[in-house]
Amino acid sequence: MDSGQEKPAAAAAIYAMENKPIVTCAGDQALFTSLYTALAQQLPREPMEWRRTYGRAPKMIHLEANFVQFKEELLPKDGTKALLTFPFLHIYWTDCCDAEAYRGSVKEDVSRWQSSLRAHGSADWLIIVVDGGDARKKNKGNILPRSSIVDKIRGDFCNKQNDRCVVLSEPLKDSSRSQESWNSLLLKLRTLLLMSFTKNLGRFEDDMRTLREKRTQPGWSFCQYFMVQEELAFVFEMLQQFEDALVQYDELDALFTQYVLNFGAGDAAKWLGSFCSPVLNWSGLLLRRPIDMEKRDSIQRGSASLLDLRSYLFSRQCTLLIFLQRPWEVTQRALELLHNCVQELRLLEVSVLRGALDCWVFLSCLEVLHRIESCCDRAQLAANASHTVGLWAYAADKLKALGHLCGLVSRKGPTSEDLNRTVDLLAGLGDERPETVNSLQSPYKKLKEALSSVEAFERHYLELCQAAMEMYRAVGRLRSARLLGKSLAEFYMSKGEPERAEALLAEALRSYVCEGWTFPVTHTRKQMGECQKLLRRSADSLRTSALLAGDGNLSAEERMRFCRAVLDYAGQPADGGGDPYATLDMGVLAQLTRIRFGPDGACVHSGAALRVELTLRCLMPIAVRVDELAVGVHLDAERVSKGGARGAALPVTVDFEAADTAPGRPSSLSAGPPPEMDEAHDRSPSDDSLSSAGVVCRNAHLLVRRHDSVSPPDASGPLARNGASGTTPAALKEGAPVLRASGITLEPGDNSVVLAAASNEAGAYTLRQLCVTLANVNFVLPHIYPSVQYHVYSQEPQLSVRPLSEPLLAGLPQRVKFTLLTGHYAVRKGDALQLSNSDSMPVLAHVGCTARIANNGGAVAESALSVQSSDKVTSIGLPPTPPYHTLEFHLEVLCLIPPGPERLPDERLTNGEAPRRPRSYSHPDTAMAAIDQRMSIDCPWSIYSTLLSLTFHIPFKTEHSLLSAGNRKYIQVCVHNVSDCDFTLAHVKLAEKGPRRRASLEMPCLNACARQLLCSKQSVYFLWEATCKEALPSSLECVFSASFCPRGRCEDAAFEPFHYHFLVDNVPTLYSVRADMVPPAGERHCRSGSLCGLEVVIERAARPADGEPAAADDDKTEAEGLGSGKVMYEVADSSSNWAVCGRSSGLVSMQSSGSWAHKVHIEVMPLFAGHLPFPKIKVLKYLPHNASSVQADADSQVENDSLSLLDKTLDDAAADTASVRSRGSVQSLGEQQHRGVALPRLDPFGPGQVFNHSHARQVLVLPAADEHIVEVHAT
């Protein structure tokens, strides 16, 4: 079939849109007709897996077929590439069961059929033999078995393809055999049809790929290739594979786009010349037909324009996307298509009538919207407005462009030239398409009506704009809605209706300002200024002109023009035409970039000089002289406590980020007010206890608001004028401080302005607002952010004292430094400090004392200081000193060392309570004892006394001890130098203290040196022997006295006295103990491991001296124990050198008068050889149970139990031979007694009451004689 014969068939197939693979049927047509219905219905029921080539994913498809009668004209000829008219399978139908009939006609007919197929290269065929069953019964004579007929057919025609002959048994009956036969036949048909389709489609794709690879060769035509690949898309669409069909059109779209881009880059293809022809028709897209045959024919002929190709290509994509139920992708692609077509026409330099593209875009937008509305309901359209709103806005924009072009927007209406242009544009639309003739809202009718009159144009344009803006707001695209509103405002302005444009421009300007779009802000603000001029709103026009004068996006000439407009307005008199006392934002005039405090920082005392330096960046193009600059200050007197502000860390310089205020952007919109936080306490109404605490913001109404609702500052601002108050702006509060500077010229760029800050009242000063006054115009910065503060403190006078050197030593004159911070008090002539004198720390009078007066660490003057002392008060006359100065002077004080030993910190009183801290105590940081001395000072600025404390350290630590040598007694005093200084001791002596001094008591000193050097951290010992013609007293109350001075100052005047009082108890020796070691019999020396005898002699030495005072409670108890004549001895060896065998302790009875000795023999065994010390011998007081009712501790309780048992079971004579065997056995016996009875107790003797003559003796112990046999083997 030639191309001329192929075209009508192809066109019919395309219009039908019901394309199916063609299957030809030869043979018995009546037989086929009877089976056609069942075959056509059952074939597509079951899906088949379609395995494609090149690794593409398999798909499940339902195969349908268009069964037609076999004609040789349907067979493809060489060079034919049409797939829609290609027969994919050929079937021969027969129900022959007679051998004569088969040989006579059927065989010859099948042979001719196969010859035709082979001649045209068709190898996809099938022979179906139908077994009806009825014909077999009528002609039983010549009937052959069905299997023999099938075998003959297979033998004659199938050869090696036996499966190409299929038997359909009893197709019209409802039986299992018939159903099975049908299933076998349908499976065979689907398989063969799919195999043929895959084979021919693969061959077609290879040919198409080969054709595409030849695109760089001369003579290649895109239109020819377009028709070939579209044929493939038709085939996929025929198989209902719409996604694959869409891919083919997308590939054609991308290929054409790439060629256009290459053309723009200089690489032009020859075939693109046909698309560069002038555009003569701009009727828009046509989406109401499945296929636009007119444009397809023009593409096939190669006479299509760029718009024709793009329109047809998009219409096919739109049809497939709707089949895929993706209508919203159509709108997205439509917007891309419309924008790309405009650019492609420019790249290809296609000649287009002015306004023709606007018409084409407008009609195309409405056509796409109508196509989407036809396949979606209202709910779907509303839910997916974000996909269609772009088309509405684009159509409105193009209609506006057409209105300007045709003179429908101007105030005078269209001219004759505009009318001629309108006629030309409408002529290019052509006739209305048949699909939209009966539609009242067709795009063609809307455009024609809109261009026909001014009223119709305005109506249609407003409808499109309102619809698009509502959709933008509904989907949350506020920026786009405001941009469209700005375009609508321009339309109103061109129509001379500024009152309708003002709201739209204000909304767009507010959005641009909040989001920081500087160039749109400038452009919109210029339009707003023109609108305000037309509306004669001078105040608003002034604000806009001031903003534009400082806008860096404008040229210097434009800025100068707007600046002069502001100055002209400010120069108008108050009763002139201008609005007096206008208030503008500070950001239109200048930007605050820095605040600096000087000269001493941002924290000063009350009355001090403080400068506030403001750095302003003027945005005006010329110098502007302002009348006054004022800063509103808020005073919070509770924020700074008295005397506590000096250490407050406040920044001296505060920089403001320039990025916070964009060019032309008011600072009130860019930086909000600082949050004012305050404490909130919730207390219980019953007991006023704190229930909860939190933080509240006092200006939350200014912080928590939408950006869109931020409005420019109005004339009622805090620093705005109030009535006829001249040039004074109203402050934050009535009477609040305001910093002012007058007659300032602001040059373009940075300017420095110095203000004198108020510092009379103490508190925290916060700079809140800034106002610049220019004639009758106020430029106000309503909130200075970040917050800037300076503190003014009022300090009470403070008096302190500290040592000049550490540490202060008691007993020596020490210099201390008095420091007086005058604060707000001015010291007058005659003011004096009254120090209450203390006996333990007198103030030493010194002639020629001077006081030093300083300010901030620098010396100002020195003045004489008068010091007058009396018995009770020391008066220090102060020189006159200004407020907030420092007065310093030095005095000498002497802290006397307290006599007597220090009480230990862990000592307890007799009732078990801890004593109060003594005057001297141990310091944790040094070994010296410390003394806190308090001074009470009466100051002239206060009615209350000031208490100051000084800590002195005692340089010495003194100890005493009683030493014995038989009955001779010695008193030793040890002086430790615990300080870091060296001292010289002199005039050392020891004397008895008290009114009852004994004349017969002598204590000669055994030290020969008169002066003794005592170095740091060293000790010196002094020794005296106590002798008395009579018996020594039981106790001595002594006083140790010496003089000391620092090393190197040995003159007599430099020595200071030092006394140490102490009491020595139990002075006489009551008992003496002598011990001797007796070797075993026949031995001269003791041997280890052998028993030896230890003979202990306890001798009574003396009794309390006559004339001693009556004993106290404890002494009385002791005396009663001594009078009983019983003492306890105990032999123990803590060094494990001896083993005590037999008894180790016992009671001995001593006579109550005269000297008496008791001898005890104890068996011991040495455990080691060598010179061993004697075992330790203890002698303890035995106090009977009637001597005291005071309970002893747990350990002595056990001993008392033991001794009470011994006391009950042994008499006095046998007590010396009794032995306490073990503590455990005695305790078990003692547990049988009642715990409530009074028990005896044991007390140790004093250190000098028992003298052990054998304390340091040693005894020679020989090793034991051991005999060992040693065996030695020698080889």
Side-chain angles (χ1 to χ4, degrees), residues 792-1102:
V792 177
Y793 60 89
S794 177
Q795 188 177 14
E796 293 292 334
Q798 296 180 3
L799 179 64
S800 62
V801 60
R802 62 180 181 88
L804 287 180
S805 61
E806 291 287 351
L808 291 176
L809 297 180
L812 295 175
Q814 301 289 307
R815 292 181 65 83
V816 295
K817 177 181 178 181
F818 285 81
T819 303
L820 172 60
L821 301 178
T822 59
H824 64 82
Y825 181 77
V827 180
R828 297 178 296 272
K829 185 177 180 180
D831 289 346
L833 300 178
Q834 306 294 330
L835 276 73
S836 299
N837 292 337
S838 173
D839 296 336
S840 59
M841 191 189 71
V843 178
L844 303 180
H846 185 71
V847 180
C849 292
T850 59
R852 179 173 175 269
I853 303 174
N855 181 18
N856 294 332
V860 175
E862 290 188 0
S863 178
L865 191 72
S866 63
V867 180
Q868 299 178 359
S869 298
S870 62
D871 295 339
K872 296 183 178 180
V873 177
T874 298
S875 177
I876 303 174
L878 301 178
T881 307
Y884 296 100
H885 281 62
T886 302
L887 178 65
E888 297 178 352
F889 58 89
H890 299 167
L891 290 180
E892 279 193 350
V893 295
L894 176 64
C895 177
L896 301 180
I897 300 177
E902 303 86 4
R903 188 188 299 271
L904 297 178
D906 57 350
E907 184 178 357
R908 295 282 177 174
L909 299 178
T910 56
N911 60 356
E913 296 181 357
R916 293 184 179 181
R917 191 177 69 176
R919 295 176 60 186
S920 60
Y921 60 94
S922 59
H923 199 276
D925 298 332
T926 179
M928 295 184 290
I931 303 176
D932 287 339
Q933 294 288 353
R934 295 184 180 273
M935 297 182 294
S936 177
I937 304 176
D938 293 335
C939 305
W941 57 81
S942 176
I943 62 174
Y944 302 102
S945 298
T946 302
L947 295 179
L948 300 178
S949 176
L950 288 174
T951 301
F952 291 85
H953 296 81
I954 302 176
F956 304 123
K957 183 178 181 181
T958 310
E959 298 176 349
H960 71 277
S961 60
L962 177 66
L963 306 180
S964 300
N967 291 329
R968 299 178 67 177
K969 299 296 178 177
Y970 301 88
I971 298 176
Q972 178 180 274
V973 177
C974 177
V975 180
H976 302 275
N977 184 3
V978 293
S979 68
D980 296 330
C981 301
D982 298 337
F983 296 98
T984 300
L985 298 182
H987 312 298
V988 180
K989 63 179 180 178
L990 181 68
E992 186 180 9
K993 179 186 176 183
R996 298 178 57 186
R997 296 183 180 180
R998 298 171 178 82
S1000 60
L1001 180 64
E1002 297 180 357
M1003 289 186 289
C1005 182
L1006 302 182
N1007 295 70
C1009 185
R1011 292 189 178 184
Q1012 184 71 39
L1013 177 64
L1014 182 57
C1015 297
S1016 174
K1017 312 300 180 184
Q1018 301 296 324
S1019 302
V1020 63
Y1021 293 86
F1022 300 96
L1023 188 65
W1024 290 267
E1025 182 180 2
T1027 60
C1028 187
K1029 297 179 180 180
E1030 303 174 356
L1032 288 173
S1034 60
S1035 62
L1036 289 175
E1037 189 175 0
C1038 304
V1039 55
F1040 169 78
S1041 60
S1043 298
F1044 71 98
C1045 70
R1047 183 179 181 180
R1049 297 173 56 189
C1050 297
E1051 59 272 12
D1052 294 339
F1055 282 91
E1056 297 292 341
F1058 168 60
H1059 301 280
Y1060 173 67
H1061 296 186
F1062 61 91
L1063 177 66
V1064 180
D1065 293 327
N1066 303 320
V1067 176
T1069 300
L1070 301 181
Y1071 298 97
S1072 64
V1073 178
R1074 299 178 184 270
D1076 196 9
M1077 192 67 66
V1078 180
E1083 297 286 344
R1084 295 180 58 186
H1085 298 283
C1086 297
R1087 290 185 178 272
S1088 63
S1090 300
L1091 291 176
C1092 302
L1094 177 65
E1095 294 184 353
V1096 180
V1097 178
I1098 304 175
E1099 182 179 2
R1100 186 182 185 91

Side-chain angles (χ1 to χ4, degrees), residues 408 448-458:
L408 301 174
K448 193 171 182 179
E449 183 181 358
L451 298 180
S452 61
S453 65
V454 176
E455 293 77 10
F457 173 82
E458 183 175 354

Side-chain angles (χ1 to χ4, degrees), residues 119-191:
H120 292 83
S122 298
D124 299 312
W125 52 269
L126 179 65
I127 301 175
I128 300 177
V129 180
V130 180
D131 182 9
D134 297 336
R136 183 186 301 271
K137 295 179 181 179
K138 295 180 181 179
N139 302 320
K140 290 185 179 180
N142 297 324
I143 291 178
L144 294 177
R146 180 65 59 185
S147 58
S148 60
I149 295 295
V150 174
D151 292 340
K152 285 181 177 292
I153 294 175
R154 289 175 178 173
D156 294 338
F157 303 104
C158 296
N159 295 330
K160 297 180 180 180
Q161 296 177 337
N162 293 331
D163 57 339
R164 293 300 181 98
C165 184
V166 180
V167 178
L168 179 60
S169 301
E170 300 177 355
L172 301 179
K173 292 185 178 181
D174 187 9
S175 62
S176 59
R177 181 185 177 189
S178 175
Q179 188 63 37
E180 182 180 355
S181 179
W182 269 112
N183 292 339
S184 176
L185 174 62
L186 293 173
L187 178 60
K188 193 65 176 179
L189 281 177
R190 296 188 189 109
T191 303

Side-chain angles (χ1 to χ4, degrees), residues 47-68:
M48 289 291 291
E49 185 181 18
W50 183 22
R51 295 184 177 274
R52 305 183 61 186
T53 57
Y54 298 104
R56 286 173 285 190
K59 295 184 178 181
M60 301 299 293
I61 62 174
H62 293 266
L63 287 175
E64 294 183 276
N66 184 15
F67 295 94
V68 299

Side-chain angles (χ1 to χ4, degrees), residues 653-669:
T653 302
V654 180
D655 293 325
F656 298 87
E657 294 292 339
D660 290 344
T661 305
R665 183 181 186 184
S667 59
S668 62
L669 298 178

